Amino acid sequence: MSSAKLTINLESLVQNWRALNALSSTQTGAVVKADGYGLGADIVGRALLREGVQSFFVATALEGKTLRDALGGGPNIYVFSGHMEGDTGAIRNGALTPMLNSTNQLLRHLETLPGHLFGIQLDTGMNRLGMEPNEWFAVRDIAIGQRPALIISHLACADIADHPMNISQLETFQMMTNGLDIPRSLAATGGILLGKAYHFEMTRPGIGLYGGMPFADTLPVVSLDLPIIQVRNVLSGETVGYGNSWFATCDSKIATVSGGYADGIIRAMGPNTSLYAGDTACPIVGRISMDLITADITNLSETPDSLQLLGKRQTVETVASAAGTIGYEILTSLGQRYYRSIIE
Amino acid sequence: MSSAKLTINLESLVQNWRALNALSSTQTGAVVKADGYGLGADIVGRALLREGVQSFFVATALEGKTLRDALGGGPNIYVFSGHMEGDTGAIRNGALTPMLNSTNQLLRHLETLPGHLFGIQLDTGMNRLGMEPNEWFAVRDIAIGQRPALIISHLACADIADHPMNISQLETFQMMTNGLDIPRSLAATGGILLGKAYHFEMTRPGIGLYGGMPFADTLPVVSLDLPIIQVRNVLSGETVGYGNSWFATCDSKIATVSGGYADGIIRAMGPNTSLYAGDTACPIVGRISMDLITADITNLSETPDSLQLLGKRQTVETVASAAGTIGYEILTSLGQRYYRSIIE
């Protein structure tokens, strides 16, 4: 088949959650925003729900509503972007818990959905989402009087264990919330690894569930196999691909596989990345095209049906380095055109 | 609403097709692979079908089958990857025309779907897809005897008008096909601009339809507006975003918008890109996150509801340069999470 095959191993995903849950001294939720980091929030969410996860985090209200439809009633679904104008219907119908980021959002929520679940997001120094200390202390009594379900903040530098920002954010979070009888959450994957002081009443791992750093013991969750469409011999000196950017320095055998940057195989990785046939690296040659990649298979004794981009020999992190980015972007870029095979 | 808004202007798309059709001395098709360059093959295909386009090109058989379901019977749908193992059902049920790339594919097609439409793809030097001269001359009589609907090849350097590769590929294509009474196609957008010698019986523009170079007169087809979730004042010296990678050199006002690399806003563009409020540039500050971007709106007198990434002030090509890539990748990366507004 001309469609590339993305294999999603839910067993590994669940094992990653268990490992992070074991490291958490408290309740453990799961971040499934960006369509479950590109793997499908519905299938990821259902697998974790079966495992007993009761708290899911998404970015937008529409993501939350879609997830609610997939999971049914029961688990809590928290929305990081809070309650924006136009979100009220989705929040109500999806029984979502918006994490309110500002006085504006707090007022909107209390006016439009009085009595409906909500949480509070505080900014402890990242300056991205959430109420800062001054704003928070001005509205805190009103907010607490309405019994928020959860108070959270987010760490800016948690993947660097000894970064002074971590302790600074921790202390600010404590200063803003100590003495309140409301559950709190500060730690995503990186924060879990920083230790118990960061765990509070709930942790919420994301990237560590999906096979990305900084959780060193994370198991790979995806593999990606690109079918070979065609093989050709090129003579020394012949060029391959757009712009004649590569030429053969010796007689070579070139495979053209189905898959390209339109499938989220970031174009920038081309010069630094190989596809694998078993343990043999087959360097990408020429530019990555929209739907096609060419690789040098001269060293293979037999031509396989497909070459592997992600799998045992090459992790999400390796490919991310080759593309000059982070594992998160490799995952969330995974394309819609793949045939998706699920291992349960 | 917390979802960003992608506006797709089908009127501009159709005008782009008309302009490229006017430059083509022959029948003009349309390339709608990669889900219509990220805009939706169904809506793009239907708009072009209403305009009279009768020949559509896709990358894989599954794309072709999906497009057939959207367009109904009638137009021709050509599949660049040809006829691979496992594709037979989609080719038959979708009434697709696979562009056969090798003797293997030719034999597979004639065996599994005798009498079914097919075309031939020739390699004229790009070394990516298609039969090379030796292979072609060995099977040409058999192939021609079965009356292929179309013979095509693809130019590797068409966006550089004076590249010697263009004339070399043209001459090879002529050498391989002259005297055959079968329609031929060599030119995509770049090839159309190279002039009549490259047009043969059909041209097949892609990127030029969607607002990307090398067609200088192409109209922008997409605009992208990211809603502001929250605005905050930061003091000189405060940091913003992951890794504390940016800090304010003076007291500043920072907007956090909904949209991030999970929406295809390539992370690498961050340091070189602004969001726009009308004509005012608001530089992205800090790292682009998965779902969020922070921008400096200190120079705005009023806070708008949203900031624009793509639109009148900033084209697909500008953003591509900032990300170190090409317009094609910006388009095909456009995310699934956007609220999509269609202008007909």
Side-chain angles (χ1 to χ4, degrees):
Chain A
M1 191 160 62
S2 48
S3 300
K5 180 178 169 187
L6 180 71
T7 304
I8 300 171
N9 190 327
L10 294 179
E11 202 174 325
S12 298
L13 174 95
V14 166
Q15 282 189 48
N16 287 335
W17 185 84
R18 283 181 196 156
L20 288 160
N21 184 42
L23 291 171
S24 296
S25 53
T26 184
Q27 189 197 334
T28 307
V31 181
V32 296
K33 62 192 172 76
D35 199 25
Y37 286 49
L39 308 192
D42 51 351
I43 64 153
V44 166
R46 283 194 289 258
L48 293 174
L49 183 63
R50 284 195 294 273
E51 186 63 20
V53 178
Q54 283 297 312
S55 295
F56 295 90
F57 292 82
V58 296
T60 69
L62 283 184
E63 282 194 330
K65 179 65 173 66
T66 304
L67 184 65
R68 177 63 73 200
D69 293 343
L71 298 187
N76 298 305
I77 300 176
Y78 302 94
V79 180
F80 285 130
S81 60
H83 188 152
M84 294 179 67
E85 208 176 324
D87 284 344
T88 306
I91 290 169
R92 183 181 52 231
N93 299 333
L96 309 177
T97 306
M99 305 308 297
L100 307 177
N101 290 295
S102 62
T103 306
N104 275 351
Q105 290 201 343
L106 178 66
L107 295 177
R108 179 181 298 124
H109 186 74
L110 297 179
E111 267 181 36
T112 58
L113 292 176
H116 187 100
L117 281 169
F118 72 97
I120 298 286
Q121 183 154 203
L122 301 177
D123 180 64
T124 52
M126 189 174 180
N127 281 318
R128 194 184 62 162
L129 276 185
M131 295 189 216
E132 302 195 21
N134 283 351
E135 185 176 12
W136 173 233
F137 286 118
V139 300
R140 193 167 88 156
D141 289 349
I142 296 169
I144 297 299
Q146 302 291 325
R147 304 298 305 165
L150 184 67
I151 300 178
I152 71 169
S153 189
H154 192 64
L155 298 168
C157 304
D159 52 347
I160 305 167
D162 59 355
H163 199 295
M165 187 72 170
N166 295 322
I167 187 78
S168 162
Q169 288 196 263
L170 175 63
E171 289 175 355
T172 303
F173 191 54
Q174 288 168 326
M175 179 270 290
M176 292 170 83
T177 60
N178 273 353
L180 301 176
D181 184 25
I182 307 286
R184 292 177 289 180
S185 175
L186 178 61
T189 301
I192 293 172
L193 304 177
L194 294 178
K196 193 175 170 182
Y198 289 81
H199 295 178
F200 296 93
E201 283 71 47
M202 193 194 301
T203 62
R204 42 176 216 273
I207 187 70
L209 303 176
Y210 304 97
M213 293 295 286
F215 177 39
D217 294 336
T218 191
L219 302 174
V221 175
V222 295
S223 59
L224 180 57
D225 296 281
L226 310 176
I228 292 178
I229 301 175
Q230 189 174 9
V231 170
R232 77 181 69 246
N233 295 311
V234 303
L235 300 175
S236 180
E238 282 192 61
T239 57
V240 173
Y242 279 118
N244 287 4
S245 66
W246 184 87
F247 67 93
T249 54
C250 60
D251 293 356
S252 306
K253 190 184 281 188
I254 303 296
T256 301
V257 300
S258 181
Y261 59 76
D263 301 293
I265 302 172
I266 298 174
R267 189 167 167 273
M269 77 175 65
N272 314 310
T273 304
S274 288
L275 306 179
Y276 279 84
D279 289 336
T280 307
C282 306
I284 291 176
V285 300
R287 292 190 193 149
I288 292 177
S289 316
M290 189 180 292
D291 320 291
L292 299 165
I293 296 172
T294 35
D296 185 343
I297 62 165
T298 310
N299 291 335
L300 300 185
S301 51
E302 290 186 12
T303 300
D305 290 337
S306 62
L307 297 174
Q308 190 166 63
L309 177 65
L310 294 172
K312 278 191 187 145
R313 286 306 307 260
Q314 193 159 252
T315 67
V316 164
E317 295 296 331
T318 307
V319 167
S321 294
T325 188
I326 52 178
Y328 302 73
E329 189 171 22
I330 298 297
L331 288 167
T332 60
S333 299
L334 289 168
Q336 300 299 313
R337 210 160 40 168
Y338 297 134
Y339 168 72
R340 291 184 174 220
S341 169
I342 313 295
I343 298 174
E344 311 236 17
Chain B
M1 192 160 62
S2 48
S3 300
K5 181 178 170 186
L6 180 72
T7 304
I8 300 172
N9 190 327
L10 294 179
E11 203 174 326
S12 298
L13 174 95
V14 166
Q15 283 189 46
N16 288 335
W17 185 84
R18 283 182 195 155
L20 288 160
N21 184 42
L23 291 171
S24 295
S25 53
T26 182
Q27 189 197 338
T28 307
V31 181
V32 297
K33 62 192 172 77
D35 198 26
Y37 285 48
L39 309 191
D42 50 351
I43 63 154
V44 166
R46 283 194 289 256
L48 293 174
L49 183 64
R50 283 195 295 272
E51 187 63 19
V53 177
Q54 282 297 312
S55 295
F56 295 89
F57 292 82
V58 296
T60 69
L62 283 184
E63 281 194 330
K65 179 65 173 64
T66 304
L67 184 65
R68 177 63 75 200
D69 292 343
L71 298 186
N76 298 305
I77 300 176
Y78 302 93
V79 179
F80 286 129
S81 60
H83 188 152
M84 293 179 67
E85 207 175 327
D87 283 344
T88 306
I91 290 170
R92 182 181 54 230
N93 299 332
L96 308 177
T97 307
M99 305 308 297
L100 306 177
N101 290 295
S102 63
T103 307
N104 275 351
Q105 289 201 345
L106 179 66
L107 295 178
R108 178 181 298 124
H109 186 74
L110 297 180
E111 266 181 37
T112 58
L113 292 177
H116 187 100
L117 282 169
F118 72 97
I120 297 285
Q121 183 154 202
L122 301 177
D123 181 65
T124 52
M126 189 173 180
N127 281 319
R128 194 184 61 162
L129 277 184
M131 295 188 216
E132 302 195 22
N134 283 352
E135 185 175 11
W136 172 234
F137 287 118
V139 300
R140 193 166 88 156
D141 288 348
I142 297 170
I144 297 299
Q146 302 292 325
R147 304 298 305 164
L150 184 67
I151 299 178
I152 71 170
S153 188
H154 192 65
L155 298 168
C157 304
D159 52 346
I160 304 167
D162 58 357
H163 199 296
M165 187 72 170
N166 295 322
I167 188 78
S168 162
Q169 289 196 264
L170 174 64
E171 288 174 356
T172 303
F173 192 55
Q174 287 168 328
M175 178 272 288
M176 292 171 83
T177 60
N178 272 353
L180 301 177
D181 183 26
I182 307 286
R184 292 177 289 180
S185 174
L186 178 62
T189 300
I192 292 173
L193 304 176
L194 293 178
K196 193 174 171 181
Y198 290 80
H199 295 178
F200 295 92
E201 283 71 48
M202 193 193 302
T203 62
R204 41 177 215 272
I207 188 70
L209 303 176
Y210 304 97
M213 293 296 285
F215 177 39
D217 293 335
T218 190
L219 301 174
V221 175
V222 295
S223 58
L224 179 57
D225 296 282
L226 310 176
I228 292 179
I229 301 175
Q230 188 174 11
V231 171
R232 76 182 69 245
N233 295 309
V234 303
L235 300 175
S236 179
E238 282 191 61
T239 56
V240 173
Y242 279 116
N244 286 3
S245 66
W246 183 88
F247 67 93
T249 55
C250 60
D251 294 356
S252 305
K253 191 184 279 188
I254 303 296
T256 302
V257 301
S258 181
Y261 59 76
D263 301 294
I265 302 172
I266 298 175
R267 190 167 167 271
M269 77 176 64
N272 314 312
T273 304
S274 289
L275 306 179
Y276 279 84
D279 289 337
T280 306
C282 306
I284 291 176
V285 300
R287 292 189 192 149
I288 291 177
S289 314
M290 188 180 293
D291 321 290
L292 299 166
I293 296 173
T294 36
D296 185 344
I297 62 166
T298 310
N299 290 334
L300 300 184
S301 51
E302 290 186 12
T303 300
D305 290 336
S306 62
L307 297 174
Q308 189 166 65
L309 177 64
L310 295 171
K312 278 189 188 148
R313 285 306 306 262
Q314 192 158 253
T315 67
V316 164
E317 294 296 331
T318 307
V319 168
S321 294
T325 187
I326 53 178
Y328 302 72
E329 189 172 21
I330 299 297
L331 288 168
T332 60
S333 299
L334 289 168
Q336 300 299 313
R337 209 160 40 167
Y338 297 134
Y339 168 72
R340 293 185 172 219
S341 169
I342 312 295
I343 298 174
E344 310 234 17

